[in-house]
Amino acid sequence: MIEMRDPGSPSDPPEESVRHSTGLPGLDVVLQKLLPGDNVVWQVDDIGDFHDFVVPFCSAAAVEGQKLTYFRFAWHTPLVSDSHAEVVELRPTEGFEAFIAEIHQVIRRNGPGGFYVFDSLSELALECFSDQMVGNFFMLTCPFLLKLKAVAYFGVLRHYHSPQAAQPIAETTQILIDVYRSQGNLYVYPRKVAGRTSPTIHLLHAWEGDRFRPITSSAGTAEVLTAVPWSGIQTPPYGMGVWNHAFFHAEEVWRAQLRKEIPREKVREAFRGLFRLIISREERLLELAEKHLSPRDILGIRARMIGTGYIGGKSAGMLVARSILLGENPEWEGKLEALDAFYIPSDVFYTYLIINDCWWIRRRQRDPENFLEFADEARRRILTGSFPQSILDGFERMLEYFGQSPIIVRSSSLLEDSFGNTFAGKYESVFCANSGKKEERMEQFLQAVRIVYVSSMSEEALRHRAERGVLDQDEQMALLVQRVSGAQYGDMFYPQVAGVGFSFNPYAWSQLIDPKAGMVRLVFGLGTRAVSTKVDDYTRLVALNAPHLRPETGIDEVRRYTQRLVDVLDLDRQEVRSIPFEEVIATSPGLDSDLFVAVDETAGLYQRDRGSAAIPFKSLSLDRLIQETPLAKDLKSMLATLEEAYDQPVDIEFTVNLRQGGDYRINLLQCRPLLIREESLSTRIPEDIPDQDLVFQGRGAVVGTSRAFPVDRFIFVVPSLYSQAPLQERYSVARLLGKLNRLQSRNSRVVLMGPGRWGTSTPSLGIPACFAEISRMSVVCELVTMREGFSPDVSLGTHFLSNLVETDILYVALFPERRETVLTEEFFLSRPNRLADFLPNETRLKEMVRVVEPTENGEEIWFYADCLTQSMLCFRRYRDKS
């Protein structure tokens, strides 16, 4: 087993032969001096009392020739002057990861030994971090200092911290001293002194000149200690911790304002800090939240939180979007399904990493050169880890609340669904049937949490963060736990309709479509078929300004590209299953199937003509839902409202559940910014290009905005060779493309072309490359040659599409079998293959994977694509040498 602990982890005991002074001879007698590696925590009522002990400690450092380092991060008066120490200015508002990384970097740079003074840890909880994270900070930093045999002073305010901070600090530190001030005199009460004993070491001591006199009388001790309330009292304001105290205070201010005792401005001041405690540090999201979330909303969120920290981007986006709609038009109250969710904030994840010995591995993942090192070991530890009892207690209460209703555990990381980073599809969401005995339900849920946690360290997620340049950002995983939207039909649970929507339609297949009106992709059943690429089925695409239009042409295409499989949560098997639509409607008692069924009489006649019984074929159709209800109108209004509030396009996830009488409720599950290029949607494609200059030309799926540019490079997977390649060879092709992808500069204009579906998990249907392996391409072109009847335009997964839009990659499909299509394959086969120039040791697949560039004699290869006419053109031309 590889020992994963950082060099700062506790191991060897300190050398008792070397002792250091506190700078106070009398205190040295009480504590028997300080041992190398001692962390000393001073609990005080006023930070000035801590300062009284810091000053002589600094003098002792000078006398002993010890390097003194002062970490300055609080608002209180400085504890140490610049002349006595190296002062390290820190900004905890930039996030926990950056904060602790800088501290550890300084300690590591200083090397063994040395004296350290830290500002009041209580101000971290007051300003930036929760009690849980203050405890985490101490559990990570104290052993680091112990290992290096350094001596450090920490100050904390008494009664400001909950057990989430107080307990790990008390358990981890070597020395814990309570400081009391009574009638102008200072007293010390050593609660813990590791490695030293004496008959009076744990008595109250009075500071009298150079002497610390033990108080041996009960009356004297009681007089001092009873002047301060006992920390075990769990009523406000004692024992509730800084985090809870902040919410308690804000609620009191809000209720006072409701009684008209104070002005509204006081409420805004009291709640402003709470937004930064639970919503986000991102300014644009904070601005939206402060504008649209009310004090009642914030307190309601807190009541549903298990633990402390941020609720994450997905939760915040969903809550803000719902508030935007309800604030804009009260009629949404009757159209939105009630929100029923709990939040497991980011601190729980961080603590889980620490107690399961994964934190040091995670620290290594900030390094762009070695971010995948030990990731497998981290994933193993996460999947087998344990949770703190306080969190387990919260989970148990939540599961009791949900009863046996199915639930879903959804990722909601700090960077997820934020402005500039959607992380669409990079992290897991896990359905729980939530059935069986209480213990079984708890284990199902815990495993679901672990699966989402471990997805934060998947190779695809880490590569995506590296590609986006955010490996060093504070990416913590919060969770959103919701009651699954839908209804139970026998042993199946599913919503009647689910989908995703875009306020801007990057897929305008007709000139009648207004891209600014938005689009939705709808499925019958769970939304997993709408948000993920499904190579075996199709979804219904709806342009919201023209919902009657379909991308398919003719009844044959409509029949061919209709959804056939339905994703349901099988309560008996406790898993998500894909079941044929006919089987679902036949075994769904209580479902009004007439709204979703189309009867194909021609199929029955076809059977009769061949001597079989004429049984009409029933297929899924959402035509009545779209044409006979105001759903399309409501979704268009929803997207327009949200885009206006966000001041940029958005995409959403939702479900629709019909009620008796034809009414329905929309459950808005997610809302996030959609990154769209601000440019003209139409590009005029040149005409009359000589045949000998054509590289390819055709009409098909053009997913993304129109564009025209000279191509720097083609990466071409030869269809005829790929289709004959064995399964393992196809995976090798995908990995090779990933290596090529990482070698492309961000400014290169590269066109990637290959047979079948890109991003598929089924190599027989295409190339199984994940998005991170094609993320630096300018155009991804699908050559539809792998199988008959394949229609890429209506089956692109939303997560894949979101990634394309986010990275400004154009996705096109070329149909070589169509009469109007031109594909000059000889262009790619006859030119020099530059694969070896990029990857000298990866030439085994050089016949199948070809890297082709323009020649050096003035040749240019131009690519044009027009999303309105769904047409594309690539041709050669030569620069005028004159």
Side-chain angles (χ1 to χ4, degrees), residues 482-526:
Q482 292 178 277
R483 195 186 301 274
V484 178
S485 179
Q488 184 173 345
Y489 304 97
D491 290 333
M492 299 178 294
F493 194 100
Y494 60 88
Q496 288 136 337
V497 177
V500 295
F502 299 86
S503 64
F504 178 89
N505 184 356
Y507 183 78
W509 65 85
S510 167
Q511 296 184 13
L512 298 176
I513 293 174
D514 178 7
K516 295 181 180 179
M519 60 163 278
V520 294
R521 299 176 68 249
L522 302 177
V523 296
F524 182 82
L526 293 175

Side-chain angles (χ1 to χ4, degrees), residues 233-248:
I233 298 174
Q234 296 298 311
T235 55
Y238 304 108
M240 66 190 310
V242 177
W243 215 76
N244 289 328
H245 191 281
F247 281 92
F248 177 79

Side-chain angles (χ1 to χ4, degrees), residues 506-507 701-705 707 793 796 801 804 809-812 870:
Y507 183 78
V702 177
V703 182
T705 51
R707 64 197 68 189
D793 50 350
L796 276 176
L801 178 58
L804 292 173
I809 297 175
L810 185 70
Y811 192 97
V812 300
Q870 291 289 281

